[in-house]
Amino acid sequence: GDAQEHYRYVIVGGGVGAGYAAAEFAECGLKANELCIISSDQALPYERPALSKGYLKPSSPARLPNFHTCANTPGAPKQTAAWYFKQGIDVKLKTRVTSVDIKGKSLEAEAPGPRHHHITWDNLVIATGSKLISMDKAEGSGLKGIVYLRTVGEADDLVQEIQECKSRKGHCVVIGASYIGMECGASVAPHGIDVTMVASGDRLFPRLFTPEISTFYEDEFAKHGIKIIKNDRAERFVDAGNGRVGTVVLKSGTKLPCSLCVVGVGVKPEVELFKGKLPLADSGGIQVDGSLRPVGHKADSVYVIGDAAAFPLLRRGGDLQNVQHVQHARESAQYAVQSIMGKASGDYDYLPFFYSREFDLGWKLYGDQAGEPVYFGDKAEGKFGCFFVKDGKVLGVFAEGASDDEAKAMRAVADLRPSFQSKDTLARQGLDFATKI
Ligand code: FAD
């Protein structure tokens, strides 16, 4: 059937950004039937980072509804179906937006049934996030046991494949050694499965880690029995004879036997819908100005948040950046809604923040990794890190094992960019330098 609907606010996408935007709308004052969220996902907005961490734990794994968005925000409501219902927010799940008309303020969407929606809006928030880079051109890519991880549905598949791999006493190959690769490797191994990771570079997570930091985590992975193959790439997959993956063949010719293969080779902004309609940046993503509105579309009341936005990072001289991290999704959502409600002041000013957890480790990085690293702490004790310094100022700070209070202090350092006496004192003081700010 066909449905025509009008909403004051429409959010395209139902991930992290959408969930935080909904919470902010509710906070700012929302009437029933003013807000519609259209999401191709099967579940209400949730904290996506949980999928590669708590969700994959061998015991007491995280499950919905326990990690819907704002799960860790003190005092925030639980954003379950009951909450959306109470707010009068219409969430259309399993519904894919197939075209948009920015000037006409309308969109078309397809839902199961099949059901077609024609929806018009006064204000639009684009929160379509990222899509996975797939290896579907590789030979054998359609075999069972090859999994990707972006949605809770895919996380369920992975959980099932982990059990399957265990019962076959099989191996797991993880392709990729940055965020997803590291977290999935670290999450699969505790199931008693032999894990090999394939890194295209010469070390773990070179984009974010210094060589010294990479070495620390490589040693930790080795302690957990995880092998890392460097400077190589997966090229094709070979059938075990039953329609399941049996071998991953690398560029070097190395053959890795496996019955589970997790592919984590990156993401790119999901912006296909807006090609030719909104300006796209070279870096990928919809090009927005400091108000998070697409360049050249100020009058249209369209905002772009989260992974889909290429926005000027004020703290890097306004360089256009595509930040594919959860904290930006949260903060840009809050900023955009405040802006729509006439409550935002100034431009969106994001302070870069990255974090991850592997085994019982946890690292955080605030600010810029520019300049020279000044290391502090004790690796043997699992508590160490570095300041990134340039021209007598601290621009950023990385730490493994920081407490919540220390993390707050790290954030303050990255925010204030204080000057320091000498590298020696900085190295000696470590996070005490931060907590004294
Ligand atoms: P998403 O959360 O991806 O949401 C996009 C939504 O848009 C989805 O609901 C999708 O279904 C929907 N959508 C897309 N196109 C359409 C369409 N045409 N019609 C309808 N709906 C559509 N970041 C960190 O900082 N730290 C971490 O530890 C971390 N861990 C992660 C672990 C995993 C497994 C993954 C996948 C990501 C992780 N991230 C992490 C990244 C973080 O989750 C993202 O940056 C964040 O989710 C971005 O939010 P978003 O709202 O922009 O997009």
Side-chain angles (χ1 to χ4, degrees), residues 56-211:
L56 303 180
K57 280 194 174 156
S59 62
S60 343
R63 285 294 177 267
L64 290 173
N66 293 331
F67 63 97
H68 283 299
T69 40
C70 301
N72 297 322
T73 313
K78 294 232 172 304
Q79 290 181 276
T80 58
W83 181 81
Y84 285 96
F85 182 77
K86 201 170 146 215
Q87 300 298 323
I89 299 171
D90 181 9
V91 189
K92 299 187 194 305
L93 296 176
K94 298 183 196 165
T95 305
R96 179 163 283 279
V97 176
T98 51
S99 74
V100 292
D101 176 355
I102 298 291
K103 288 281 169 226
K105 299 194 170 211
S106 71
L107 61 80
E108 312 299 322
E110 304 299 333
R115 194 173 159 79
H116 179 86
H117 293 274
H118 174 80
I119 294 173
T120 53
W121 67 76
D122 297 324
N123 305 274
L124 178 70
V125 178
I126 298 170
T128 45
S130 292
K131 74 161 166 240
L132 291 160
I133 296 174
S134 94
M135 291 191 60
D136 58 4
K137 300 236 160 44
E139 194 183 315
S141 63
L143 292 167
K144 250 190 98 49
I146 302 172
V147 296
Y148 293 83
L149 184 56
R150 184 82 203 167
T151 65
V152 71
E154 287 164 332
D156 285 334
D157 292 345
L158 178 51
V159 167
Q160 212 183 328
E161 290 297 345
I162 287 172
Q163 293 316 318
E164 183 78 33
C165 183
K166 246 173 94 168
S167 68
R168 288 168 188 268
K169 300 207 177 348
H171 303 275
C172 170
V173 170
V174 175
I175 304 174
S178 38
Y179 259 110
I180 299 294
M182 281 177 68
E183 291 189 353
C184 288
S187 293
V188 171
H191 289 267
I193 295 172
D194 191 53
V195 176
T196 301
M197 291 170 62
V198 181
S200 59
D202 61 356
R203 56 192 179 84
L204 274 185
F205 215 176
R207 190 160 49 82
L208 227 57
F209 290 173
T210 65

Side-chain angles (χ1 to χ4, degrees), residues 12-18 38-41 46 48-53 95-98 127-130 149-151 179-180 183 270 273 305-308 323-327 329 353-357:
V12 179
V16 174
I38 308 165
S39 176
S40 52
D41 204 330
Y46 48 84
R48 201 169 299 285
L51 299 181
S52 50
K53 305 177 185 71
T95 305
R96 179 163 283 279
V97 176
T98 51
T128 45
S130 292
L149 184 56
R150 184 82 203 167
T151 65
Y179 259 110
I180 299 294
E183 291 189 353
E270 175 70 275
L273 268 180
I305 63 175
D307 286 13
V323 176
Q324 285 151 338
H325 296 285
V326 73
Q327 193 61 20
F353 169 54
F354 309 89
Y355 77 95
S356 180
R357 290 196 297 270

Side-chain angles (χ1 to χ4, degrees), residues 153-288:
E154 287 164 332
D156 285 334
D157 292 345
L158 178 51
V159 167
Q160 212 183 328
E161 290 297 345
I162 287 172
Q163 293 316 318
E164 183 78 33
C165 183
K166 246 173 94 168
S167 68
R168 288 168 188 268
K169 300 207 177 348
H171 303 275
C172 170
V173 170
V174 175
I175 304 174
S178 38
Y179 259 110
I180 299 294
M182 281 177 68
E183 291 189 353
C184 288
S187 293
V188 171
H191 289 267
I193 295 172
D194 191 53
V195 176
T196 301
M197 291 170 62
V198 181
S200 59
D202 61 356
R203 56 192 179 84
L204 274 185
F205 215 176
R207 190 160 49 82
L208 227 57
F209 290 173
T210 65
E212 202 149 343
I213 296 171
S214 294
T215 303
F216 173 82
Y217 292 100
E218 284 167 18
D219 291 347
E220 289 295 323
F221 275 68
K223 275 186 210 160
H224 286 83
I226 298 174
K227 240 178 86 189
I228 304 174
I229 296 178
K230 298 172 184 172
N231 298 309
D232 215 340
R233 288 170 179 277
E235 264 195 350
R236 59 192 175 90
F237 306 94
V238 182
D239 195 331
N242 51 4
R244 293 189 62 86
V245 62
T247 311
V248 178
V249 184
L250 307 185
K251 195 163 181 224
S252 61
T254 303
K255 292 190 171 85
L256 301 173
C258 69
S259 50
L260 168 61
C261 177
V262 185
V263 185
V265 293
V267 293
K268 55 185 175 205
E270 175 70 275
V271 294
E272 219 87 332
L273 268 180
F274 306 99
K275 270 197 179 140
K277 295 175 180 172
L278 293 174
L280 301 187
D282 293 341
S283 62
I286 300 167
Q287 187 181 348
V288 297

